[in-house]
Amino acid sequence: METVEQVKMRMERMLKPDRLAHSYGVAEEARRLAGRYGADPQQAYYAGLCHDICKNMPLEEQLQWIKRSAIILDSAFYRQPPIWHGFAAAQYLREEMGVEDDDILQAVRYHTTGRAGMSLLEKIIFTADLTERGRDYSDVETVRTLADRSLEQAVLYILRYTLGKLLVNGSPICRDAWEAYNQLVLAQTTENL
């Protein structure tokens, strides 16, 4: 597995400046959240740093990395190119950078969609991606507040926010996202019974 310094050098070659700044922001926020919730801060920093490593690749190249993995994806996934980079990155990390840590690979893979059964690290990267200091969207302060109170509540809010945008735009929703949402909502409903 490449060192953090090697990853940074690779990222400087692969990412546009704004995406590079975002990746550093996610890494810092992931480390902060890991400290808050009892995860490994170094593992969180590494996953946060790498999460968008394939973001600036041409879509055709991202798709080639996805096809090299053994992941079976639904048709809605293939109709949403903006989420491909996480799935491509997981395979890229494994093959090109020697990452064998499955928790890092899963956190990178599902950072845009979420999935049912997310690990602590997956929830941290999923949340850090939308709460890092450079993010500026209408609900960012709400999500940041939730992230400091309850990681599960932050993840659920992000899923509601994201799925709501997809519904308003008439976009397809991939299976991983709605399964993650359903699992969290059902767990919350069960707790309130």
Side-chain angles (χ1 to χ4, degrees):
M1 183 163 95
E2 290 186 2
T3 67
V4 168
E5 289 309 313
Q6 290 171 318
V7 172
K8 288 179 179 180
M9 287 190 300
R10 182 184 291 268
M11 288 171 47
E12 287 177 12
R13 292 189 310 269
M14 293 179 66
L15 298 178
K16 295 176 183 176
D18 60 334
R19 187 57 48 184
L20 184 62
H22 167 69
S23 294
Y24 285 132
V26 172
E28 290 296 333
E29 178 66 359
R31 179 167 39 206
R32 187 187 76 77
L33 290 171
R36 180 163 187 79
Y37 291 105
D40 180 337
Q42 290 176 320
Q43 185 188 40
Y45 185 87
Y46 197 94
L49 199 58
C50 295
H51 82 288
D52 271 357
I53 200 155
C54 293
K55 182 72 172 180
N56 294 139
M57 279 182 180
L59 290 176
E60 300 79 27
E61 190 175 349
Q62 290 181 34
L63 197 53
Q64 290 307 311
W65 282 107
I66 292 166
K67 288 179 178 178
R68 291 167 75 146
S69 73
I71 302 292
I72 298 171
L73 299 162
D74 62 8
S75 60
F77 173 87
Y78 289 107
R79 297 196 45 208
Q80 294 180 333
I83 65 175
W84 292 359
H85 66 279
F87 289 77
Q91 192 64 25
Y92 181 88
L93 289 174
R94 182 185 305 278
E95 289 186 34
E96 293 294 315
M97 297 168 57
V99 176
E100 295 178 359
D101 183 325
D102 281 334
D103 211 15
I104 289 174
L105 295 172
Q106 294 290 78
V108 168
R109 178 176 289 119
Y110 293 105
H111 81 269
T112 58
T113 62
R115 71 178 180 106
M118 292 170 74
S119 71
L120 177 59
L121 182 62
E122 288 175 80
K123 291 174 186 175
I124 286 170
I125 301 305
F126 184 80
T127 303
D129 189 31
L130 290 191
T131 58
E132 62 96 358
R133 68 184 179 276
R135 287 292 196 182
D136 183 25
Y137 57 95
S138 61
D139 288 9
V140 71
E141 290 306 323
T142 301
V143 179
R144 286 177 178 144
T145 299
L146 285 171
D148 281 338
R149 222 179 331 163
S150 165
L151 199 53
E152 283 72 24
Q153 289 301 311
V155 169
L156 182 55
Y157 192 94
I158 292 166
L159 286 166
R160 283 183 179 135
Y161 180 84
T162 305
L163 295 176
K165 283 176 50 178
L166 291 169
L167 289 169
V168 166
N169 293 330
S171 300
I173 298 171
C174 72
R175 180 182 57 241
D176 290 318
W178 58 257
E179 285 179 351
Y181 173 79
N182 283 345
Q183 182 188 42
L184 289 168
V185 168
L186 291 171
Q188 187 178 54
T189 305
T190 303
E191 288 174 9
N192 293 331
L193 290 179

